[in-house]
Amino acid sequence: MARRRKGDQQDPWQLSLLSAIPGRERWEIKALRKNPGLAQNLETGLLSESGVLRARCNPVTGRVLIFYSPSTLNRSVESLLRNCLKNISERAVFPRLPAGSSAPHTASLARVIKSSIPARNQQILPPLLSVVGQALTLSRAPTFMIIFKTARGEGPRFLRTLGLVKTSSQLWFMLGLSTLLSFANFIIQPYRKRSWSRLGQATQHNLRTDLLAKIETQDMTFFDTYGTGRIVRLVTQDTENIGEFVERAGDELIEKVMTIAVCGILMLLISPKLVLVGSVSLPFFLLISRFYKPRIAESYARLGEANSNFSQKLENNLGGIAEVKSFTAEDREVARLHEADAQVTSLALKASGTSTIQSQLTSDMFAMGFILAAGQGGRMVAAEELTTDEYFRAAFWFPPLLSSLTTIEDVTKLYHRASDSAIRLAEVLDSSPQIQSGPVQLKVEAARGEIVFENVSFGYDPDVKVLENVSLHLRPGETLAIVGPTGSGKSTLLNLLLRFFEVDEGQILLDGIPIKDLELRSLRSTISLVSQEGHLFEGTVRENVLFGNPLASEAQVIKALRQASALDLIKSLPGGLDAAVGERGHRLSGGERQRIALARALLKISDGASVLALDEATSHLDSETELAIKRSLRQVSIGKSVIMIAHRLATVRSANKIVVLESGRVTEEGTHEELLARKGLYATLWQIQNDDP
């Protein structure tokens, strides 16, 4: 359970533990805030420590995420953090960067975009169309001014050079040119927007694909760390923020920069003095940006965390909606979600409010510059230093210049959202699973299914052992049953066998090869698992069974369903094999889900897997169905090794060997008859379940 340790005045770093599970801890260090230099050096220092697998230090939120190997790290994470901070402080190696520095955000955003943006030849067209489109847009104003001057008989020289002497001819030419430019603009602009949209969507798609591929390779600790809601937000909202930034920021930046450049140059040609007066407010704009930029970045970072927290709570609520309703906890859950969403709303208002204040102050500063320029222009006209025509032209160009300078904050908002998402995405894209695949490839058809546990000890929490010094031996073709009280570590044995987690001590061997040395795909292809939950994927019955062997024929699917006593069930469903099971199989009962999950596992066995692992695989079935399945399993598992975990001892009485686990230790081992004769825990449980006197 996460604990929080409050910093005090004697703690210069102010460390607080936010959450902790074995192999991963998240801390908040207030000294890191607005100090990218310290964050970078701390991250480097942590990664140099033995046992630290990954480390991420965020200078915006002041949070540190550390992944470590519990068996290798020989001290607490807090001690490690304090020691690194002390060493950095004594060496004074970190510069305190300016408050407005955004180097970590910019680096993460640039790296994420670079890794996912399409090929260079696809990046050329959107900027080119933006330049052409904005040039056409900006040409409207001078064209209008030329038409106006031509109507007054003051047409430009190039018209006379073209042989157009009469005012009417010049007007018709300019009207035609203006119409042509407007038509070209009409044609270009949709293509411009579409090309940027295509680039943004392609970037988002590539990033999402890479992210999903990375997530799928992670081990179980990763999913425990992030939670489903946060992972879903990473894949959806955070990748969308990057795609939106690519789609809009480049286009808008080109548009605004071109407008500022053109308007600025034209005004300089009219009167440099006027531009100088109008630029008096520029230093104030820079000061405002410097003051608000880090505050906006921090606001959006906290908003992102709050959104992830809300997504996680919502996912938990919807995933357990049956329990919510059965305990009439709707009001409590609504209140809990309301509180989380209220925090999102509050932080969103704060982020938006801070951005709005900056934008308004920026606008006011440039409006002040416009007023000063207008006053200076009036004085210069009165002193005949500026003609009335030049004054009105300057007044005409100043508003678009002002508008571009003030609305550039729209790009800034996109940047802050995208850079905040990029930090989270980079953290996952840079991550590597703690459990690495071994070099030995074991062919499925060659596996014999011999499994040995040698003095295995393990704990999800390093301080609490779930298994201690467990030794087991499953010979090829035999059935090994594991029984014991709830919480004794039965399911953990299967988790370790499949290398969902790594053993702390001892080793596990498959066909005499340590599973650490086996390629993960080879190891897991050899074992066909039916878990307690009997999880089904949204889709049809056929699709769920084929998950065990995608290349199986319909005849093989039907055979697997018959062996799992599920054929009559399929016939009763509307649509048969193509009947939809619903999300997580909610349209089916627990027993029906279990039978389809068992059929899926049996199909994998028929494809060559040599070990069948059953974790309470018949717990939801009635006695008659369970008996039928047991008969089928005896036929299917001929020549296969079977590990069977069960609470109902009648299910395992025919096993070649039965192991009794109690508090993580093997306390009894033998056949059903041998264990009854010993009159130990097994005999007691058998008597209770069978109500023997």
Side-chain angles (χ1 to χ4, degrees):
M1 183 176 291
R3 55 188 173 90
R4 181 180 292 272
R5 181 182 167 186
K6 297 182 179 179
D8 53 38
Q9 294 179 351
Q10 283 70 43
D11 181 4
W13 308 110
Q14 295 191 336
L15 276 68
S16 299
L17 177 61
L18 301 179
S19 63
I21 61 173
R24 170 263 189 204
E25 291 187 14
R26 188 186 294 273
W27 288 78
E28 182 178 45
I29 304 176
K30 291 185 178 179
L32 288 187
R33 292 183 187 174
K34 304 177 188 177
N35 201 337
L38 175 58
Q40 183 177 356
N41 281 283
L42 177 59
E43 188 171 304
T44 302
L46 289 170
L47 291 173
S48 67
E49 293 285 342
S50 175
V52 175
L53 304 174
R54 300 193 303 275
R56 288 288 176 269
C57 303
N58 191 328
V60 176
T61 62
R63 297 193 174 182
V64 178
L65 181 64
I66 300 177
F67 292 89
Y68 62 93
S69 172
S71 59
T72 308
L73 195 67
N74 55 11
R75 53 178 158 170
S76 69
V77 173
E78 179 180 2
S79 174
L80 178 65
L81 284 170
R82 292 187 181 279
N83 187 61
C84 285
L85 289 166
K86 180 182 177 183
N87 290 339
I88 294 170
S89 178
E90 289 175 351
R91 294 195 306 268
V93 295
F94 59 89
R96 189 166 183 87
L97 272 63
S101 175
S102 58
H105 292 74
T106 304
S108 295
L109 181 57
R111 193 154 52 87
V112 167
I113 291 176
K114 184 178 180 181
S115 69
S116 54
I117 200 165
R120 188 177 296 276
N121 60 343
Q122 299 180 50
Q123 302 173 32
I124 297 174
L125 184 60
L128 180 62
L129 290 175
S130 288
V131 171
V132 174
Q134 189 59 19
L136 290 171
T137 299
L138 290 171
S139 69
R140 290 176 175 176
T143 303
F144 170 77
M145 294 176 69
I146 291 173
I147 292 174
F148 182 72
K149 292 183 70 175
T150 301
R152 292 195 308 177
E154 302 173 1
R157 185 181 302 173
F158 80 87
L159 292 176
R160 290 189 292 276
T161 303
L162 292 173
L164 301 172
V165 180
K166 292 183 179 180
T167 301
S168 59
S169 301
Q170 293 177 348
L171 277 173
W172 279 113
F173 178 84
M174 289 306 303
L175 286 172
L177 179 61
S178 177
T179 302
L180 183 63
L181 291 174
S182 296
F183 181 74
N185 194 47
F186 173 77
I187 296 297
I188 287 288
Q189 295 303 339
Y191 282 104
R192 168 187 174 181
K193 297 297 181 184
R194 193 177 305 162
S195 67
W196 279 107
S197 178
R198 187 180 296 115
L199 184 64
Q201 290 298 321
T203 301
Q204 178 181 321
H205 172 72
N206 293 341
L207 176 58
R208 191 169 285 174
T209 301
D210 292 344
L211 183 66
L212 287 169
K214 193 70 172 181
I215 289 171
E216 290 293 334
T217 63
Q218 299 295 328
D219 48 44
M220 301 304 290
T221 302
F222 172 88
F223 297 96
D224 290 341
T225 299
Y226 281 88
T228 305
R230 289 186 177 88
I231 293 174
V232 169
R233 177 173 169 78
L234 274 169
V235 175
T236 55
Q237 187 62 55
D238 286 330
T239 56
E240 185 179 331
N241 287 343
I242 302 296
E244 184 183 15
F245 178 78
V246 172
E247 178 180 342
R248 291 181 52 194
D251 186 31
E252 292 185 15
L253 196 59
I254 291 173
E255 175 184 320
K256 296 179 191 309
V257 167
M258 284 186 66
T259 301
I260 292 170
V262 171
C263 295
I265 291 170
L266 290 173
M267 287 190 65
L268 279 170
L269 292 174
I270 295 169
S271 173
K273 185 187 293 186
L274 203 59
V275 173
L276 183 62
V277 173
S279 301
V280 168
S281 60
L282 187 59
F284 296 99
F285 165 74
L286 296 175
L287 287 173
I288 291 168
S289 178
R290 182 182 178 85
F291 178 80
Y292 278 100
K293 190 174 183 179
R295 288 160 177 79
I296 293 174
E298 183 174 354
S299 296
Y300 277 105
R302 294 193 177 280
L303 176 60
E305 289 188 5
N307 271 316
S308 295
N309 181 52
F310 176 76
S311 299
Q312 181 67 18
K313 289 184 177 180
L314 179 61
E315 193 278 333
N316 286 337
N317 172 271
L318 297 178
I321 194 65
E323 285 73 16
V324 172
K325 290 184 175 298
S326 68
F327 286 95
T328 63
E330 293 92 340
D331 292 341
R332 295 199 301 274
E333 284 297 293
V334 168
R336 191 169 68 94
L337 291 171
H338 169 78
E339 182 180 352
D341 189 54
Q343 186 179 14
V344 172
T345 303
S346 174
L347 290 171
L349 288 172
K350 183 178 180 180
S352 176
T354 307
S355 297
T356 300
I357 291 173
Q358 181 190 13
S359 180
Q360 187 60 48
L361 285 173
T362 303
S363 177
D364 290 345
M365 286 298 104
F366 279 105
M368 183 61 66
F370 177 69
I371 293 171
L372 292 173
Q376 175 65 16
R379 191 196 65 79
M380 293 175 69
V381 169
E384 297 185 351
E385 297 175 13
L386 199 68
T387 66
T388 304
D389 184 63
E390 289 173 331
Y391 178 74
F392 279 111
R393 272 191 290 146
F396 183 87
W397 288 115
F398 200 88
L401 175 64
L402 174 65
S403 175
S404 295
L405 286 167
T406 53
T407 58
I408 206 166
E409 285 304 309
D410 295 339
V411 180
T412 303
K413 290 179 182 178
L414 288 172
Y415 164 77
H416 285 305
R417 279 200 298 268
S419 60
D420 180 51
S421 293
I423 287 179
R424 289 191 293 271
L425 290 166
E427 184 178 286
V428 175
L429 291 169
D430 289 343
S431 64
S432 298
Q434 297 180 31
I435 297 176
Q436 297 292 328
S437 187
V440 180
Q441 185 172 4
L442 180 65
K443 292 184 178 180
V444 175
E445 59 272 15
R448 296 180 294 110
E450 181 182 19
I451 295 171
V452 177
F453 281 68
E454 290 184 351
N455 303 315
V456 169
S457 295
F458 171 77
Y460 296 101
D461 185 329
D463 298 327
V464 181
K465 293 296 183 185
V466 177
L467 297 173
E468 193 163 352
N469 201 32
V470 172
S471 294
L472 304 172
H473 187 189
L474 172 61
R475 293 180 175 82
E478 289 189 348
T479 297
L480 172 67
I482 303 171
V483 300
T486 301
S488 57
K490 301 184 298 297
S491 298
T492 299
L493 288 171
L494 296 185
N495 288 337
L496 295 176
L497 175 61
L498 287 158
R499 284 196 77 196
F500 292 158
F501 300 93
E502 206 77 274
V503 300
D504 296 336
E505 298 175 17
Q507 65 174 346
I508 304 173
L509 298 94
L510 174 62
D511 289 352
I513 306 170
I515 62 172
K516 281 187 176 182
D517 296 336
L518 286 173
E519 184 186 36
L520 283 173
R521 184 177 291 272
S522 295
L523 169 66
R524 292 168 183 169
S525 296
T526 305
I527 303 166
S528 186
L529 172 69
V530 182
S531 63
Q532 284 178 304
E533 295 80 10
H535 180 89
L536 298 185
F537 299 92
E538 187 172 13
T540 65
V541 172
R542 185 197 308 274
E543 290 168 343
N544 272 279
V545 177
L546 283 172
F547 208 79
N549 178 12
L551 301 179
S553 65
E554 183 162 334
Q556 290 174 303
V557 171
I558 292 174
K559 181 180 179 182
L561 288 166
R562 182 183 297 110
Q563 291 169 338
S565 297
L567 202 54
D568 290 340
L569 160 67
I570 302 308
K571 292 178 180 178
S572 67
L573 293 175
L577 283 174
D578 295 315
V581 301
E583 184 181 6
R584 301 184 182 181
H586 77 274
R587 294 187 180 181
L588 306 177
S589 69
E592 291 168 342
R593 288 196 298 270
Q594 221 164 29
R595 278 181 277 171
I596 292 175
L598 182 59
R600 178 171 63 197
L602 293 177
L603 193 61
K604 184 177 179 181
I605 284 289
S606 68
D607 191 41
S610 58
V611 179
L612 178 62
L614 305 173
D615 189 358
E616 296 287 354
T618 58
S619 58
H620 295 295
L621 303 179
D622 58 77
S623 299
E624 184 179 350
T625 304
E626 182 181 11
L627 184 61
I629 289 176
K630 283 175 66 177
R631 285 196 294 264
S632 295
L633 286 177
R634 277 196 290 269
Q635 296 298 320
V636 173
S637 61
I638 293 175
K640 305 290 183 180
S641 301
V642 180
I643 299 180
M644 184 181 298
I645 293 174
H647 278 106
R648 290 201 300 234
L649 302 187
T651 306
V652 303
R653 63 179 300 175
S654 59
N656 299 101
K657 185 190 295 182
I658 301 172
V659 171
V660 181
L661 273 184
E662 188 175 6
S663 300
R665 293 175 178 270
V666 176
T667 57
E668 299 177 51
E669 186 175 343
T671 63
H672 172 71
E673 290 75 15
E674 290 171 347
L675 293 176
L676 287 181
R678 290 180 187 175
K679 300 185 183 299
L681 176 62
Y682 183 88
T684 302
L685 293 174
W686 177 264
Q687 184 177 5
I688 292 172
Q689 291 184 16
N690 291 274
D691 197 26
D692 287 341

